[in-house]
Amino acid sequence: MSGVITLRELDGTCIADVADLVLACSAGTLRNRFFMPGQPEPRDILDRYRRYLLAGPPHGVALVAFSGGAAAGLLNLVAGEPGVAELGIMVADPWQRRGIGTGLAAWLRASGRWAGWTVRAVTQADNAAAKALLRGQGFRLVRGVDRGEYRYELTMPGVV
């Protein structure tokens, strides 16, 4: 695994990089990201969430982080109601705890494309890494444990 991380925004049509990433995730990582019980199957995740995983302009963004040519992380931002978008970040198991999630989240802020938007994220109560990532990016907790979930939100600033 290379230490150099590159980011590429997807155009909404190619599932190959996203499929590689999902296939590199353990059932635990998929369970945490998609709030699914048991042992989620990667192919089921790809089928069920394809539209969300490939979200592209104008209603969202899918950003892949590559390490040494391999898909290592994915940021999804999907617009719902006007001025509000839902954030999801997933890092494949071999690349966890290497700053990839932080790099993806930092891109979101630095891009400036979502300035003024409210970005929301939900984590499972026991997902310490996701909660730390969101707090580190300035998200504030808007609702504590409710059905085993924490809800966060951030109004995106302009370009930093």
Side-chain angles (χ1 to χ4, degrees):
M1 283 174 263
S2 169
V4 177
I5 302 298
T6 57
L7 302 177
R8 185 173 77 221
E9 192 171 337
L10 301 179
D11 66 5
T13 62
C14 181
I15 190 79
D17 293 326
V18 173
D20 289 345
L21 174 74
V22 170
L23 292 170
C25 291
S26 66
T29 294
L30 296 174
R31 192 173 43 251
N32 281 340
R33 172 62 187 82
F34 295 100
F35 295 71
M36 298 180 81
Q39 301 292 314
E41 289 293 326
R43 295 287 176 202
D44 292 340
I45 296 290
L46 292 168
D47 290 343
R48 181 182 285 187
Y49 296 105
R50 179 185 180 106
R51 186 173 129 319
Y52 180 79
L53 292 167
L54 293 176
H59 304 293
V61 64
L63 183 73
V64 177
F66 292 90
S67 176
L74 175 67
L75 175 144
N76 294 111
L77 187 72
V78 179
E81 57 193 85
V84 178
E86 298 292 327
L87 173 68
I89 295 177
M90 180 171 61
V91 177
D93 291 39
W95 292 276
Q96 290 180 3
R97 293 174 183 39
R98 296 175 186 256
I100 291 171
T102 300
L104 288 164
W107 175 91
L108 181 65
R109 181 185 299 261
S111 76
R113 291 184 0 205
W114 305 94
W117 280 63
T118 297
V119 176
R120 295 181 178 155
V122 179
T123 69
Q124 293 180 359
D126 62 351
N127 192 338
K131 292 186 294 188
L133 171 66
L134 293 169
R135 285 191 310 266
Q137 293 296 315
F139 281 76
R140 66 181 178 81
L141 181 64
V142 292
R143 192 173 331 148
V145 179
D146 177 28
R147 296 182 317 230
E149 301 173 356
Y150 283 92
R151 298 185 182 278
Y152 291 85
E153 133 177 332
L154 173 67
T155 299
M156 295 302 293
V159 177
V160 291

